[in-house]
Structure formats: structure tokens, C-alpha cells
Amino acid sequence: MQTFGWPEALFILRSAGWTLALTAIAFFIGSIIGGAFAIMRLSRLRWLRRFASGYILVIQSIPVLMVLFMSYYGLSALGIELPPFLAASASLSIYVSAYLAEIWRGSIESVPRQQWEGSASLAHTTAQTYRHVILPQAVRISLPPTVGFLVQLVKNTSIVQVVGFVDLMRAGMLVNNATYQAFQIFTLVGAIYFAICFPLSRLSRHLEKVMNASRSH
Amino acid sequence: MILNGVWLTIVLSFVAIALGLVLATALTALRSLAGAWAGYIVDAYVELMRNTPFLVQLFMIFFGLPQIGIRLNGLEASLLAMTLNLAAYATEIIRAGVDSIHKSQIEAGLALAMTRWQVLKHVVLQPAFARVWPALSSQFVLMMLASSICSFVSVQELSGTAAIIEQDTFRSFETYIVVTVLYLVMALSFKLFLNWLGRKLFPQVSGLARLTEAHGEAA
């Protein structure tokens, strides 16, 4: 039996890179889809609004694990074989899109109504209003909850190990299967997740404080 | 078999939520009443749980604890992990609620000759819980969805059952569609139930909370 030593610890540490890569991809693709859904949710067309809120409601009401199972095992049963990394990034992007859509819709809605009216009185089109008046303010408002959500995303990437993708969590499990020193291994794995997430949580809280201070003026 | 899985998911979630809520209330009380030291420990616990994945916590309990002589089966480990995880989030949420109660309200309660216990119940806890009930509710729903991860330590709740059926039948797509729909139905009914419960539990204060929210006072 192997013991848990430096090579194993380094292997785990290196796999954290995949966790970060997965987080970045899911956040990037998820924010594009999520942004589209946030705008749809605020559209004047009722069917578009309904479609968007339906999507958000469904994705927020099912476990990410099920999305992952469906895109990996489910699709392969239908003859579409996604490699683990693709299935993992696709499912996480879907998950991200639903939550970011809600966060960003809330941020857009919390821009005071008068800003819309003011912009309309300047004969701006809807697109111009979004671009020059609403979004610059909404982005600021959305920053703290978006960074906070990033923490949830980093943690949730840990489930992709079920489809065999070697991220930080999977690396920990592989080492555990070889050494059976679970306590040390998962302490290290947990510590690495913590090292990624804690600064983000702090940043989110800090941004929130800054925003509150600037708004009370 | 799927129904057994549904049942186990519901039982696991409810027990973990009940225990987690009790623990969270105790931790909040400890944090504000027992001095700075206890406060730091509670804060450290909350930050530690909130910034590591639930899966790591579950594995730590299931695979890690036996190394120091504490052996739990999958179900016990899942329940413990869910309870500890929920407690951390709920502590954070309840604290926000308690912080939103102004000191002068407690003084006013005491001035009205309420006992300390009455002040705690009517002036602090009820309004605090009423105010954070929506946040708590979403946390409960998230916990129910996260319980799907307990299949990793071979607990046969809903997602665990799905994996077994899938292995037996090889009809993965149908299996996962059915199970996903079941989760959807459970989550939506759970949300409706929690909204109803919130109105039942806090009838007099929920109107007040809505009023302050409309004026943008509550965070």
C-alpha cells in the first residue's frame, strides 16, 4: 500500500487547476446564456418572459447532479457521446446560467424606474437604454452577489468527479483509493477549496459593504 | 423502488433541516451571548463550512472519521453532513435577521414589563425569523437538492435509486428524466409548503416585514 506523501499531495494540488479551468469555462458560457435569459425575463413579450422564467424555475429546482447525469449517461444512451470534460462544462454552464439570470434580473430591476423614464425622454431605444443607462448601474449592483455565486460554483464543480473527470475532488478520491488516509487527504482537498473560496467570499462581502456605503450617500 | 427513494430524500431533508435549524439557533445564541471567544469559534465554523464543498464534508465524515475511530454508515454520515452544512448557512442567515432587530426595540419590550423570555420570543426571534424566512426557505430547498450527492456514499435516496435502476435496465435517459421530474415536483411543492408555513408561523409580522421591505429598509 502506498502512503500519502509529497507526490500525492502535488498530484492533488495540480488537479486544482482543472477545478479552476472548469469554473472559468462554466462561468464564461453560463454568463452568456444567463445574461440572455435575464434580458428575456424582462422582455415586453409575454411568451419570452414565460419561457425564460420556466427555464430558470426548472433548472433551479433540480439537482445539478441530475443535469450532469443526463448530459453524460442520458445523452450517451441516445447515441450522443460527450467526453467527460464537455459533459461537465455543459451541465455546469446550464446550472450557472439559471442562477446568474436571476441575480442579474434582480440587479437590473433594482435600477430605479426613473432611470428608464429619463432615458426614454432622451429618445433612447431600448438597446441604447440598456447599454448606456441601465447596464452600467446594474453591473455595479450585481457585482457582490455574482462574486458570491462564484463560490457556489467552485464548490459545485466537485460533483463532476462522478463522470470520471479528474478535478480536485477526483484527485483526492484517487489518492484515497490508493492510500486509505482519508482524513489527511480530504483535509488537504478541503483546504485547497477553502483557499479558493474564502478570498472570493471576503471579496463579495467587501463589495457589498462598499455598495451599501455608496448608496446611503 | 423510486418511491422509496423519494421517501428517503424527503425524510433525510426534513430531519437534517430540523436538526440544522436547532443547531443554527443555538450557535447564533452562543455567538451573541457567550462572549468573544465563542463568537470566533462559531464564525470559524460557519466560514469553514460555507467555503468548502458539501461533498468534501460528506467524504470527511464518511471516509475520514473512521481513521480516528468513528465509523458511521452512509445514511448516518449523510444526515450528519447535511445537518452540519445546513446549520452553517442557517446561522449566517439567522444572524442577519437578529442583527436587523434594533436594540431600542428590546429596551421598549423590557419597558413594557415583558419578561426576558417574552422579549426574546416576541421581539427578537419571531420578527427575525419572519424577516429571513424567504432566505431560509431557499436554503432548505437547496439542501434538499444537495441531498442527491449522498448517493456517492451509497445512500439509496432518489438519485441513488436512479443509479441502481439505470445499471439494471440500461435505459439511462428515461430513468434520469423520470427522476429529474420527481425532483422538480418535490422542489416546487416544498417551496409552496414553505411559503404557506411562513404565512402560518408569522402572520402578524410578515405584513410588517413586507412593509419595511417596500421602503427598502430590510437588507
PDB file of all heavy atoms in Angstrom, chain A residues 149-181:
ATOM      1  N   PHE A 149     -21.816  34.088  -5.857  1.00  0.00           N
ATOM      2  CA  PHE A 149     -22.253  32.885  -6.562  1.00  0.00           C
ATOM      3  C   PHE A 149     -21.066  32.081  -7.089  1.00  0.00           C
ATOM      4  O   PHE A 149     -21.117  30.857  -7.175  1.00  0.00           O
ATOM      5  CB  PHE A 149     -23.201  33.235  -7.715  1.00  0.00           C
ATOM      6  CG  PHE A 149     -23.601  32.037  -8.525  1.00  0.00           C
ATOM      7  CD1 PHE A 149     -24.478  31.113  -7.998  1.00  0.00           C
ATOM      8  CD2 PHE A 149     -23.066  31.811  -9.775  1.00  0.00           C
ATOM      9  CE1 PHE A 149     -24.821  29.970  -8.705  1.00  0.00           C
ATOM     10  CE2 PHE A 149     -23.397  30.673 -10.495  1.00  0.00           C
ATOM     11  CZ  PHE A 149     -24.276  29.753  -9.965  1.00  0.00           C
ATOM     12  N   LEU A 150     -20.001  32.784  -7.425  1.00  0.00           N
ATOM     13  CA  LEU A 150     -18.781  32.124  -7.902  1.00  0.00           C
ATOM     14  C   LEU A 150     -18.293  31.094  -6.876  1.00  0.00           C
ATOM     15  O   LEU A 150     -17.789  30.025  -7.231  1.00  0.00           O
ATOM     16  CB  LEU A 150     -17.715  33.199  -8.142  1.00  0.00           C
ATOM     17  CG  LEU A 150     -16.686  32.959  -9.237  1.00  0.00           C
ATOM     18  CD1 LEU A 150     -17.325  32.511 -10.521  1.00  0.00           C
ATOM     19  CD2 LEU A 150     -15.874  34.223  -9.463  1.00  0.00           C
ATOM     20  N   VAL A 151     -18.465  31.425  -5.602  1.00  0.00           N
ATOM     21  CA  VAL A 151     -18.085  30.493  -4.533  1.00  0.00           C
ATOM     22  C   VAL A 151     -18.917  29.212  -4.643  1.00  0.00           C
ATOM     23  O   VAL A 151     -18.389  28.095  -4.550  1.00  0.00           O
ATOM     24  CB  VAL A 151     -18.291  31.148  -3.149  1.00  0.00           C
ATOM     25  CG1 VAL A 151     -17.978  30.157  -2.043  1.00  0.00           C
ATOM     26  CG2 VAL A 151     -17.418  32.386  -3.012  1.00  0.00           C
ATOM     27  N   GLN A 152     -20.233  29.386  -4.861  1.00  0.00           N
ATOM     28  CA  GLN A 152     -21.100  28.214  -5.012  1.00  0.00           C
ATOM     29  C   GLN A 152     -20.652  27.377  -6.201  1.00  0.00           C
ATOM     30  O   GLN A 152     -20.652  26.150  -6.161  1.00  0.00           O
ATOM     31  CB  GLN A 152     -22.566  28.631  -5.242  1.00  0.00           C
ATOM     32  CG  GLN A 152     -23.129  29.564  -4.202  1.00  0.00           C
ATOM     33  CD  GLN A 152     -23.105  28.950  -2.838  1.00  0.00           C
ATOM     34  OE1 GLN A 152     -23.354  27.759  -2.687  1.00  0.00           O
ATOM     35  NE2 GLN A 152     -22.781  29.740  -1.829  1.00  0.00           N
ATOM     36  N   LEU A 153     -20.267  28.055  -7.272  1.00  0.00           N
ATOM     37  CA  LEU A 153     -19.856  27.345  -8.485  1.00  0.00           C
ATOM     38  C   LEU A 153     -18.592  26.527  -8.235  1.00  0.00           C
ATOM     39  O   LEU A 153     -18.526  25.349  -8.585  1.00  0.00           O
ATOM     40  CB  LEU A 153     -19.649  28.350  -9.627  1.00  0.00           C
ATOM     41  CG  LEU A 153     -19.072  27.755 -10.909  1.00  0.00           C
ATOM     42  CD1 LEU A 153     -19.993  26.699 -11.472  1.00  0.00           C
ATOM     43  CD2 LEU A 153     -18.820  28.842 -11.945  1.00  0.00           C
ATOM     44  N   VAL A 154     -17.582  27.148  -7.619  1.00  0.00           N
ATOM     45  CA  VAL A 154     -16.338  26.429  -7.344  1.00  0.00           C
ATOM     46  C   VAL A 154     -16.651  25.156  -6.554  1.00  0.00           C
ATOM     47  O   VAL A 154     -16.177  24.068  -6.878  1.00  0.00           O
ATOM     48  CB  VAL A 154     -15.351  27.312  -6.547  1.00  0.00           C
ATOM     49  CG1 VAL A 154     -14.150  26.493  -6.095  1.00  0.00           C
ATOM     50  CG2 VAL A 154     -14.900  28.496  -7.379  1.00  0.00           C
ATOM     51  N   LYS A 155     -17.513  25.300  -5.530  1.00  0.00           N
ATOM     52  CA  LYS A 155     -17.827  24.138  -4.701  1.00  0.00           C
ATOM     53  C   LYS A 155     -18.588  23.083  -5.492  1.00  0.00           C
ATOM     54  O   LYS A 155     -18.363  21.884  -5.335  1.00  0.00           O
ATOM     55  CB  LYS A 155     -18.647  24.577  -3.488  1.00  0.00           C
ATOM     56  CG  LYS A 155     -17.833  25.427  -2.528  1.00  0.00           C
ATOM     57  CD  LYS A 155     -18.579  25.674  -1.255  1.00  0.00           C
ATOM     58  CE  LYS A 155     -19.804  26.518  -1.502  1.00  0.00           C
ATOM     59  NZ  LYS A 155     -20.612  26.664  -0.286  1.00  0.00           N
ATOM     60  N   ASN A 156     -19.493  23.552  -6.348  1.00  0.00           N
ATOM     61  CA  ASN A 156     -20.308  22.589  -7.091  1.00  0.00           C
ATOM     62  C   ASN A 156     -19.547  21.857  -8.186  1.00  0.00           C
ATOM     63  O   ASN A 156     -19.992  20.803  -8.642  1.00  0.00           O
ATOM     64  CB  ASN A 156     -21.532  23.278  -7.685  1.00  0.00           C
ATOM     65  CG  ASN A 156     -22.734  23.122  -6.775  1.00  0.00           C
ATOM     66  OD1 ASN A 156     -22.921  22.064  -6.181  1.00  0.00           O
ATOM     67  ND2 ASN A 156     -23.531  24.148  -6.660  1.00  0.00           N
ATOM     68  N   THR A 157     -18.383  22.397  -8.598  1.00  0.00           N
ATOM     69  CA  THR A 157     -17.620  21.653  -9.595  1.00  0.00           C
ATOM     70  C   THR A 157     -17.175  20.303  -9.031  1.00  0.00           C
ATOM     71  O   THR A 157     -16.855  19.403  -9.790  1.00  0.00           O
ATOM     72  CB  THR A 157     -16.348  22.410 -10.048  1.00  0.00           C
ATOM     73  OG1 THR A 157     -15.541  22.658  -8.910  1.00  0.00           O
ATOM     74  CG2 THR A 157     -16.663  23.699 -10.760  1.00  0.00           C
ATOM     75  N   SER A 158     -17.186  20.183  -7.699  1.00  0.00           N
ATOM     76  CA  SER A 158     -16.702  18.941  -7.087  1.00  0.00           C
ATOM     77  C   SER A 158     -17.518  17.720  -7.507  1.00  0.00           C
ATOM     78  O   SER A 158     -17.023  16.603  -7.441  1.00  0.00           O
ATOM     79  CB  SER A 158     -16.708  19.066  -5.566  1.00  0.00           C
ATOM     80  OG  SER A 158     -18.018  19.250  -5.094  1.00  0.00           O
ATOM     81  N   ILE A 159     -18.765  17.920  -7.961  1.00  0.00           N
ATOM     82  CA  ILE A 159     -19.564  16.738  -8.298  1.00  0.00           C
ATOM     83  C   ILE A 159     -19.190  16.138  -9.648  1.00  0.00           C
ATOM     84  O   ILE A 159     -19.575  15.021  -9.946  1.00  0.00           O
ATOM     85  CB  ILE A 159     -21.079  17.025  -8.288  1.00  0.00           C
ATOM     86  CG1 ILE A 159     -21.427  18.039  -9.365  1.00  0.00           C
ATOM     87  CG2 ILE A 159     -21.550  17.460  -6.930  1.00  0.00           C
ATOM     88  CD1 ILE A 159     -22.881  18.016  -9.729  1.00  0.00           C
ATOM     89  N   VAL A 160     -18.434  16.869 -10.480  1.00  0.00           N
ATOM     90  CA  VAL A 160     -18.163  16.333 -11.814  1.00  0.00           C
ATOM     91  C   VAL A 160     -17.260  15.108 -11.758  1.00  0.00           C
ATOM     92  O   VAL A 160     -17.092  14.416 -12.746  1.00  0.00           O
ATOM     93  CB  VAL A 160     -17.527  17.365 -12.777  1.00  0.00           C
ATOM     94  CG1 VAL A 160     -18.390  18.591 -12.874  1.00  0.00           C
ATOM     95  CG2 VAL A 160     -16.124  17.706 -12.355  1.00  0.00           C
ATOM     96  N   GLN A 161     -16.679  14.842 -10.586  1.00  0.00           N
ATOM     97  CA  GLN A 161     -15.850  13.652 -10.487  1.00  0.00           C
ATOM     98  C   GLN A 161     -16.634  12.365 -10.778  1.00  0.00           C
ATOM     99  O   GLN A 161     -16.035  11.381 -11.170  1.00  0.00           O
ATOM    100  CB  GLN A 161     -15.147  13.600  -9.131  1.00  0.00           C
ATOM    101  CG  GLN A 161     -16.014  13.783  -7.933  1.00  0.00           C
ATOM    102  CD  GLN A 161     -16.648  12.498  -7.487  1.00  0.00           C
ATOM    103  OE1 GLN A 161     -16.223  11.429  -7.857  1.00  0.00           O
ATOM    104  NE2 GLN A 161     -17.698  12.620  -6.692  1.00  0.00           N
ATOM    105  N   VAL A 162     -17.963  12.373 -10.646  1.00  0.00           N
ATOM    106  CA  VAL A 162     -18.728  11.149 -10.952  1.00  0.00           C
ATOM    107  C   VAL A 162     -18.605  10.704 -12.390  1.00  0.00           C
ATOM    108  O   VAL A 162     -18.774   9.534 -12.690  1.00  0.00           O
ATOM    109  CB  VAL A 162     -20.254  11.250 -10.715  1.00  0.00           C
ATOM    110  CG1 VAL A 162     -20.630  10.678  -9.392  1.00  0.00           C
ATOM    111  CG2 VAL A 162     -20.797  12.600 -10.980  1.00  0.00           C
ATOM    112  N   VAL A 163     -18.374  11.646 -13.316  1.00  0.00           N
ATOM    113  CA  VAL A 163     -18.265  11.218 -14.708  1.00  0.00           C
ATOM    114  C   VAL A 163     -16.805  10.918 -15.059  1.00  0.00           C
ATOM    115  O   VAL A 163     -16.466  10.758 -16.221  1.00  0.00           O
ATOM    116  CB  VAL A 163     -18.866  12.249 -15.696  1.00  0.00           C
ATOM    117  CG1 VAL A 163     -20.350  12.405 -15.444  1.00  0.00           C
ATOM    118  CG2 VAL A 163     -18.163  13.575 -15.611  1.00  0.00           C
ATOM    119  N   GLY A 164     -15.949  10.850 -14.040  1.00  0.00           N
ATOM    120  CA  GLY A 164     -14.585  10.405 -14.268  1.00  0.00           C
ATOM    121  C   GLY A 164     -13.619  11.512 -14.614  1.00  0.00           C
ATOM    122  O   GLY A 164     -12.469  11.255 -14.935  1.00  0.00           O
ATOM    123  N   PHE A 165     -14.086  12.746 -14.543  1.00  0.00           N
ATOM    124  CA  PHE A 165     -13.195  13.856 -14.839  1.00  0.00           C
ATOM    125  C   PHE A 165     -12.296  14.115 -13.629  1.00  0.00           C
ATOM    126  O   PHE A 165     -12.781  14.202 -12.503  1.00  0.00           O
ATOM    127  CB  PHE A 165     -14.016  15.098 -15.182  1.00  0.00           C
ATOM    128  CG  PHE A 165     -13.166  16.259 -15.562  1.00  0.00           C
ATOM    129  CD1 PHE A 165     -12.475  16.252 -16.750  1.00  0.00           C
ATOM    130  CD2 PHE A 165     -13.036  17.349 -14.714  1.00  0.00           C
ATOM    131  CE1 PHE A 165     -11.668  17.314 -17.096  1.00  0.00           C
ATOM    132  CE2 PHE A 165     -12.234  18.409 -15.053  1.00  0.00           C
ATOM    133  CZ  PHE A 165     -11.555  18.396 -16.240  1.00  0.00           C
ATOM    134  N   VAL A 166     -10.976  14.212 -13.870  1.00  0.00           N
ATOM    135  CA  VAL A 166     -10.060  14.358 -12.733  1.00  0.00           C
ATOM    136  C   VAL A 166      -9.902  15.820 -12.325  1.00  0.00           C
ATOM    137  O   VAL A 166      -9.027  16.527 -12.794  1.00  0.00           O
ATOM    138  CB  VAL A 166      -8.684  13.729 -13.015  1.00  0.00           C
ATOM    139  CG1 VAL A 166      -7.809  13.812 -11.762  1.00  0.00           C
ATOM    140  CG2 VAL A 166      -8.827  12.287 -13.425  1.00  0.00           C
ATOM    141  N   ASP A 167     -10.800  16.270 -11.481  1.00  0.00           N
ATOM    142  CA  ASP A 167     -10.666  17.599 -10.892  1.00  0.00           C
ATOM    143  C   ASP A 167     -10.067  17.420  -9.503  1.00  0.00           C
ATOM    144  O   ASP A 167      -9.644  16.315  -9.142  1.00  0.00           O
ATOM    145  CB  ASP A 167     -12.037  18.288 -10.824  1.00  0.00           C
ATOM    146  CG  ASP A 167     -12.947  17.603  -9.823  1.00  0.00           C
ATOM    147  OD1 ASP A 167     -12.825  16.368  -9.696  1.00  0.00           O
ATOM    148  OD2 ASP A 167     -13.750  18.281  -9.169  1.00  0.00           O
ATOM    149  N   LEU A 168     -10.077  18.468  -8.717  1.00  0.00           N
ATOM    150  CA  LEU A 168      -9.512  18.415  -7.372  1.00  0.00           C
ATOM    151  C   LEU A 168     -10.128  17.289  -6.528  1.00  0.00           C
ATOM    152  O   LEU A 168      -9.421  16.520  -5.866  1.00  0.00           O
ATOM    153  CB  LEU A 168      -9.733  19.787  -6.712  1.00  0.00           C
ATOM    154  CG  LEU A 168      -9.347  19.994  -5.263  1.00  0.00           C
ATOM    155  CD1 LEU A 168      -7.935  19.548  -5.005  1.00  0.00           C
ATOM    156  CD2 LEU A 168      -9.507  21.464  -4.898  1.00  0.00           C
ATOM    157  N   MET A 169     -11.466  17.185  -6.590  1.00  0.00           N
ATOM    158  CA  MET A 169     -12.163  16.187  -5.782  1.00  0.00           C
ATOM    159  C   MET A 169     -11.793  14.768  -6.212  1.00  0.00           C
ATOM    160  O   MET A 169     -11.535  13.889  -5.382  1.00  0.00           O
ATOM    161  CB  MET A 169     -13.669  16.408  -5.957  1.00  0.00           C
ATOM    162  CG  MET A 169     -14.524  15.616  -5.034  1.00  0.00           C
ATOM    163  SD  MET A 169     -14.348  16.223  -3.351  1.00  0.00           S
ATOM    164  CE  MET A 169     -14.609  14.712  -2.450  1.00  0.00           C
ATOM    165  N   ARG A 170     -11.790  14.554  -7.533  1.00  0.00           N
ATOM    166  CA  ARG A 170     -11.471  13.229  -8.063  1.00  0.00           C
ATOM    167  C   ARG A 170     -10.040  12.835  -7.696  1.00  0.00           C
ATOM    168  O   ARG A 170      -9.780  11.683  -7.355  1.00  0.00           O
ATOM    169  CB  ARG A 170     -11.646  13.238  -9.578  1.00  0.00           C
ATOM    170  CG  ARG A 170     -11.382  11.927 -10.261  1.00  0.00           C
ATOM    171  CD  ARG A 170     -12.598  11.060 -10.189  1.00  0.00           C
ATOM    172  NE  ARG A 170     -12.363   9.719 -10.688  1.00  0.00           N
ATOM    173  CZ  ARG A 170     -13.291   8.777 -10.664  1.00  0.00           C
ATOM    174  NH1 ARG A 170     -14.481   9.054 -10.160  1.00  0.00           N
ATOM    175  NH2 ARG A 170     -13.042   7.582 -11.127  1.00  0.00           N
ATOM    176  N   ALA A 171      -9.138  13.804  -7.783  1.00  0.00           N
ATOM    177  CA  ALA A 171      -7.752  13.534  -7.432  1.00  0.00           C
ATOM    178  C   ALA A 171      -7.674  13.049  -5.983  1.00  0.00           C
ATOM    179  O   ALA A 171      -6.980  12.072  -5.672  1.00  0.00           O
ATOM    180  CB  ALA A 171      -6.905  14.782  -7.625  1.00  0.00           C
ATOM    181  N   GLY A 172      -8.432  13.714  -5.120  1.00  0.00           N
ATOM    182  CA  GLY A 172      -8.470  13.315  -3.719  1.00  0.00           C
ATOM    183  C   GLY A 172      -8.972  11.889  -3.568  1.00  0.00           C
ATOM    184  O   GLY A 172      -8.412  11.087  -2.816  1.00  0.00           O
ATOM    185  N   MET A 173     -10.027  11.553  -4.326  1.00  0.00           N
ATOM    186  CA  MET A 173     -10.582  10.203  -4.228  1.00  0.00           C
ATOM    187  C   MET A 173      -9.599   9.159  -4.745  1.00  0.00           C
ATOM    188  O   MET A 173      -9.481   8.077  -4.180  1.00  0.00           O
ATOM    189  CB  MET A 173     -11.879  10.121  -5.025  1.00  0.00           C
ATOM    190  CG  MET A 173     -13.034  10.767  -4.311  1.00  0.00           C
ATOM    191  SD  MET A 173     -14.468  10.797  -5.370  1.00  0.00           S
ATOM    192  CE  MET A 173     -14.911   9.075  -5.351  1.00  0.00           C
ATOM    193  N   LEU A 174      -8.918   9.485  -5.841  1.00  0.00           N
ATOM    194  CA  LEU A 174      -7.956   8.526  -6.399  1.00  0.00           C
ATOM    195  C   LEU A 174      -6.842   8.244  -5.404  1.00  0.00           C
ATOM    196  O   LEU A 174      -6.464   7.085  -5.182  1.00  0.00           O
ATOM    197  CB  LEU A 174      -7.371   9.072  -7.714  1.00  0.00           C
ATOM    198  CG  LEU A 174      -8.338   9.134  -8.897  1.00  0.00           C
ATOM    199  CD1 LEU A 174      -7.678   9.836 -10.086  1.00  0.00           C
ATOM    200  CD2 LEU A 174      -8.806   7.741  -9.289  1.00  0.00           C
ATOM    201  N   VAL A 175      -6.341   9.304  -4.803  1.00  0.00           N
ATOM    202  CA  VAL A 175      -5.282   9.123  -3.813  1.00  0.00           C
ATOM    203  C   VAL A 175      -5.811   8.336  -2.618  1.00  0.00           C
ATOM    204  O   VAL A 175      -5.145   7.451  -2.079  1.00  0.00           O
ATOM    205  CB  VAL A 175      -4.721  10.495  -3.361  1.00  0.00           C
ATOM    206  CG1 VAL A 175      -3.728  10.311  -2.224  1.00  0.00           C
ATOM    207  CG2 VAL A 175      -4.061  11.202  -4.523  1.00  0.00           C
ATOM    208  N   ASN A 176      -7.062   8.622  -2.254  1.00  0.00           N
ATOM    209  CA  ASN A 176      -7.660   7.907  -1.126  1.00  0.00           C
ATOM    210  C   ASN A 176      -7.785   6.414  -1.418  1.00  0.00           C
ATOM    211  O   ASN A 176      -7.524   5.575  -0.563  1.00  0.00           O
ATOM    212  CB  ASN A 176      -9.034   8.503  -0.813  1.00  0.00           C
ATOM    213  CG  ASN A 176      -9.681   7.846   0.393  1.00  0.00           C
ATOM    214  OD1 ASN A 176      -9.004   7.582   1.382  1.00  0.00           O
ATOM    215  ND2 ASN A 176     -10.959   7.571   0.296  1.00  0.00           N
ATOM    216  N   ASN A 177      -8.164   6.092  -2.660  1.00  0.00           N
ATOM    217  CA  ASN A 177      -8.289   4.683  -3.020  1.00  0.00           C
ATOM    218  C   ASN A 177      -6.948   3.966  -2.960  1.00  0.00           C
ATOM    219  O   ASN A 177      -6.893   2.757  -2.742  1.00  0.00           O
ATOM    220  CB  ASN A 177      -8.868   4.538  -4.430  1.00  0.00           C
ATOM    221  CG  ASN A 177     -10.321   4.953  -4.465  1.00  0.00           C
ATOM    222  OD1 ASN A 177     -10.979   5.013  -3.424  1.00  0.00           O
ATOM    223  ND2 ASN A 177     -10.828   5.260  -5.643  1.00  0.00           N
ATOM    224  N   ALA A 178      -5.864   4.713  -3.162  1.00  0.00           N
ATOM    225  CA  ALA A 178      -4.546   4.089  -3.144  1.00  0.00           C
ATOM    226  C   ALA A 178      -3.947   4.046  -1.743  1.00  0.00           C
ATOM    227  O   ALA A 178      -3.164   3.147  -1.433  1.00  0.00           O
ATOM    228  CB  ALA A 178      -3.609   4.834  -4.087  1.00  0.00           C
ATOM    229  N   THR A 179      -4.297   5.009  -0.893  1.00  0.00           N
ATOM    230  CA  THR A 179      -3.589   5.114   0.389  1.00  0.00           C
ATOM    231  C   THR A 179      -4.472   4.913   1.624  1.00  0.00           C
ATOM    232  O   THR A 179      -3.969   4.646   2.702  1.00  0.00           O
ATOM    233  CB  THR A 179      -2.944   6.505   0.538  1.00  0.00           C
ATOM    234  OG1 THR A 179      -3.997   7.471   0.586  1.00  0.00           O
ATOM    235  CG2 THR A 179      -2.021   6.832  -0.622  1.00  0.00           C
ATOM    236  N   TYR A 180      -5.776   5.069   1.464  1.00  0.00           N
ATOM    237  CA  TYR A 180      -6.704   4.956   2.597  1.00  0.00           C
ATOM    238  C   TYR A 180      -6.407   5.915   3.742  1.00  0.00           C
ATOM    239  O   TYR A 180      -6.679   5.608   4.886  1.00  0.00           O
ATOM    240  CB  TYR A 180      -6.740   3.523   3.144  1.00  0.00           C
ATOM    241  CG  TYR A 180      -7.327   2.567   2.162  1.00  0.00           C
ATOM    242  CD1 TYR A 180      -6.518   1.737   1.405  1.00  0.00           C
ATOM    243  CD2 TYR A 180      -8.714   2.513   1.968  1.00  0.00           C
ATOM    244  CE1 TYR A 180      -7.059   0.870   0.473  1.00  0.00           C
ATOM    245  CE2 TYR A 180      -9.258   1.651   1.044  1.00  0.00           C
ATOM    246  CZ  TYR A 180      -8.423   0.834   0.303  1.00  0.00           C
ATOM    247  OH  TYR A 180      -8.965  -0.009  -0.617  1.00  0.00           O
ATOM    248  N   GLN A 181      -5.802   7.052   3.420  1.00  0.00           N
ATOM    249  CA  GLN A 181      -5.577   8.016   4.503  1.00  0.00           C
ATOM    250  C   GLN A 181      -6.518   9.198   4.312  1.00  0.00           C
ATOM    251  O   GLN A 181      -6.095  10.339   4.095  1.00  0.00           O
ATOM    252  CB  GLN A 181      -4.119   8.450   4.529  1.00  0.00           C
ATOM    253  CG  GLN A 181      -3.245   7.394   5.156  1.00  0.00           C
ATOM    254  CD  GLN A 181      -1.783   7.645   4.916  1.00  0.00           C
ATOM    255  OE1 GLN A 181      -1.310   7.695   3.784  1.00  0.00           O
ATOM    256  NE2 GLN A 181      -1.055   7.823   5.994  1.00  0.00           N
TER     257      GLN A 181
END
